Amino acid sequence: MRVSLLQMPADASAASPSPAHFVRGWIDTAAGSDLIVLPEMWHPGYFAFDQYTQAAEDTPALLEALSETAARVGACVHAGSLVEADGGCLYNTSVLFGPDGAELARYRKMHLFGFDSQEQRLLSPGDEVVVADTPLGRLGMAVCYDLRFPELFRRMCEHGATGFIVASAWPHPRVEAWSTLLRARAIENQAFVFACNGVGATGRGTTLCGRSAVIDPWGITVASLGDDPGFVSAPVQLDEAHTARSRFPALVDRRLLGDPDNDLVLRRDDGTAVRFTAKRVILAGYTARDTDAIDAYIAKLQEEGIEPPDEVPAYFVVGADRLTTASRIEATTASSCGEVEFALLIDSNEVWVAAASDHTDRALETVDINASKQNCPKVLSTSVWRLHDIEAHWDDLTFEARTPAAAQDCYQAGPVAALRPPRELIELVENRFGGPMAGTVILSGTIPAAGGFEFHPSFEVALRDPVRGRSLEVAYSIVNVMEDT
């Protein structure tokens, strides 16, 4: 196949009366290619932060024009990236069109740049790794700053990518980092990299470095550009990635430190990553401080056919693989729902607090409560707080849950102080189960719902801290995998 990279001048579309006409002209220069790649934020220009909101209004028409152009030239067209508006948020989004104009994939930039940029303030990060099935092969998608995070590219590699498309607006002071990282991502994953950068002065005190390049799985530059606008084309055989992996089986020789299946990657208040390895998960139940409330709750559950617990508090041990931060879970019945809780993640020298939902199969609960707990994932917020930072005002925290998500009325709402406090729960679990506590995750139990169980295809919970004006939130959809079987 033939790949073409269109190294467009920074902010050039802003001077054009028609951005759609502008980009069609550039794509026509690469007619005859099988894959055509544009740079990041070619409209309105990456550093034109004051124009992002208006640019988002232009994006649907531009994507329609790019779809039509892809069909006209008979090539896969990667739209670089554009500002996308969705649900009240703005995203830095790449779209890949097939040679018939159909949309093949859509990727939202996961790593938003903070240094000398307003991207983190204006945009929301994506949360999905995207690998597209194309007529040319499986291609992963990334944008600019993503290049500095090798785990994203390794995940795309694990999803079968043999090539990566990188749209960028990489500035000149870090040109050596650009060239080095392109080669590193190719070498370590034994995959092609098709990296298209903007070039030239932005009119806002920054100059993009160009140096768009096609890198092969051995880290060799097949084709490249300098620091002038233009395009470069190169013949590529994606199957050469498989050949490289077979001849030099570095990916087969890869060994992991620890078990990645139960590792959670979370975020602290300051945005820094926290990697937590879950070794055991214990669901605490019937943990209200008010014993009369516990009795009333148990009586209510008995009316619904659920047997009373053998002990209070009750404990249910589930596999660590039941923990997730996913925005979508699967269930095997229409009778499942979540419940708002807090989670304590006990590390070797820290206790983290997350918002949580103990999603449960309610139909199975009437038969075997332990099995019902194990049958569904337990969903955690992607952000966490240090218990140390909130323990002094713990009883000021509040719970909220809604189903369906974004419902006007709360499904559950009330003070966190209705449940036993964190240190007491940790002590109870340690006395009950013993052993090292590092790696233990405790879910707190819940508060009563406004009515009976409700079953909807989405659920959201929040743990709110009114003292600091912050919240931990979880929102996810539920797919009943049995509906179509």
Side-chain angles (χ1 to χ4, degrees):
M1 70 176 188
R2 180 164 290 275
V3 177
S4 291
L5 311 177
L6 306 186
Q7 186 165 285
M8 298 159 64
D11 297 357
S13 72
S16 172
S18 170
H21 178 75
F22 168 83
V23 75
R24 286 192 193 101
W26 270 87
I27 292 174
D28 284 346
T29 64
S33 302
D34 300 292
L35 172 64
I36 300 171
V37 184
L38 280 63
E40 178 187 22
M41 290 290 189
W42 56 270
H43 177 75
Y46 176 84
F47 290 94
F49 300 116
D50 58 335
Q51 299 178 38
Y52 273 22
T53 300
Q54 175 59 48
E57 297 179 8
D58 300 336
T59 293
L62 287 175
L63 291 177
E64 183 177 353
L66 287 166
S67 169
E68 294 171 353
T69 304
R72 178 170 57 81
V73 300
C76 291
V77 172
H78 184 275
S81 75
L82 296 165
V83 187
E84 177 194 22
D86 184 29
C89 297
L90 297 179
Y91 298 91
N92 186 337
T93 299
S94 294
V95 179
L96 178 63
F97 297 100
D100 59 355
E103 181 176 321
L104 297 179
R106 185 173 294 231
Y107 168 73
R108 290 171 171 170
K109 185 177 182 182
M110 297 177 71
H111 301 97
L112 301 182
F113 194 54
F115 177 74
D116 197 25
S117 167
Q118 297 183 44
E119 189 175 44
Q120 290 184 359
R121 182 177 66 83
L122 297 173
L123 304 182
S124 297
D127 59 5
E128 184 178 359
V129 177
V130 174
V131 175
D133 280 311
T134 80
L136 314 173
R138 285 183 64 76
L139 299 174
M141 298 167 66
V143 177
C144 201
Y145 191 43
D146 284 334
L147 198 58
R148 289 184 178 269
F149 301 91
E151 60 271 23
L152 170 61
F153 289 79
R154 179 52 54 88
R155 184 61 59 88
M156 290 190 287
C157 178
E158 291 170 349
H159 288 183
T162 53
F164 306 127
I165 304 174
V166 182
S168 190
W170 200 280
H172 220 292
R174 293 178 289 280
V175 62
E176 292 300 326
W178 164 257
S179 299
T180 300
L181 291 170
L182 291 181
R183 296 183 64 216
R185 299 296 85 86
I187 293 168
E188 67 198 8
N189 294 291
Q190 298 180 291
F192 283 94
V193 173
F194 311 125
C196 187
N197 196 24
V199 69
T202 66
R204 293 168 173 81
T206 304
T207 300
L208 304 186
C209 69
R211 272 52 170 206
S212 300
V214 176
I215 313 291
D216 79 5
W218 301 99
I220 297 170
T221 301
V222 175
S224 63
L225 289 164
D227 52 10
D228 292 315
F231 80 94
V232 66
S233 294
V236 168
Q237 291 289 339
L238 277 183
D239 285 347
E240 289 180 9
H242 296 299
T243 301
R245 293 171 183 178
S246 175
R247 288 177 55 193
F248 192 86
L251 294 176
V252 175
D253 295 338
R254 175 186 175 216
R255 297 183 67 83
L256 298 175
L257 301 178
D259 179 3
D261 293 340
N262 299 326
D263 276 5
L264 298 171
V265 179
L266 309 164
R267 293 282 171 184
R268 298 177 49 161
D269 275 354
D270 62 3
T272 57
V274 174
R275 184 176 292 275
F276 181 86
T277 301
K279 297 179 180 178
R280 63 177 178 179
V281 178
I282 297 169
L283 314 178
Y286 312 103
T287 56
R289 300 185 194 182
D290 183 346
T291 56
D292 290 337
I294 293 177
D295 293 338
Y297 184 60
I298 291 173
K300 182 175 181 294
L301 292 179
Q302 283 183 288
E303 292 176 2
E304 296 173 356
I306 299 172
E307 290 295 320
D310 295 330
E311 59 179 335
V312 174
Y315 306 97
F316 309 94
V317 180
V318 300
D321 65 340
R322 296 288 75 195
L323 288 180
T324 184
T325 57
S327 58
R328 175 184 180 274
I329 68 169
E330 294 180 342
T332 56
T333 173
S335 301
S336 74
C337 64
E339 54 191 32
V340 63
E341 307 197 0
F342 65 83
L344 303 173
L345 291 74
I346 304 169
D347 220 333
S348 56
N349 56 3
E350 195 70 79
V351 178
W352 303 101
V353 178
S357 173
D358 175 11
H359 204 87
T360 301
D361 183 337
R362 302 300 178 185
L364 184 57
E365 193 173 24
T366 63
V367 179
D368 186 333
I369 190 168
N370 288 292
S372 72
K373 294 293 186 182
Q374 181 69 34
N375 198 41
C376 296
K378 313 304 170 188
V379 190
L380 304 182
S381 58
T382 55
S383 297
V384 292
W385 296 329
R386 294 171 68 223
L387 177 59
H388 176 78
D389 292 339
I390 55 176
E391 197 163 12
H393 60 274
W394 179 264
D395 284 357
D396 293 313
L397 273 57
T398 60
F399 283 132
E400 286 182 12
R402 287 178 169 81
T403 188
Q408 183 174 359
D409 297 323
C410 285
Y411 174 63
Q412 294 173 284
V416 173
L419 303 179
R420 295 177 186 248
R423 297 294 178 187
E424 186 176 334
L425 276 178
I426 292 172
E427 183 178 0
L428 286 167
V429 168
E430 187 171 19
N431 290 338
R432 175 70 167 74
F433 294 93
M437 291 295 287
T440 300
V441 179
I442 304 171
L443 269 65
S444 65
T446 192
I447 59 175
F453 295 135
E454 294 184 20
F455 309 112
H456 297 284
S458 62
F459 194 79
E460 66 178 16
V461 304
L463 179 62
R464 305 202 186 280
D465 179 355
V467 173
R468 300 189 305 159
R470 298 177 182 177
S471 297
L472 298 174
E473 299 178 350
V474 178
Y476 60 95
S477 60
I478 305 105
V479 177
N480 179 5
V481 297
M482 302 302 290
E483 283 184 344
D484 299 325
T485 60

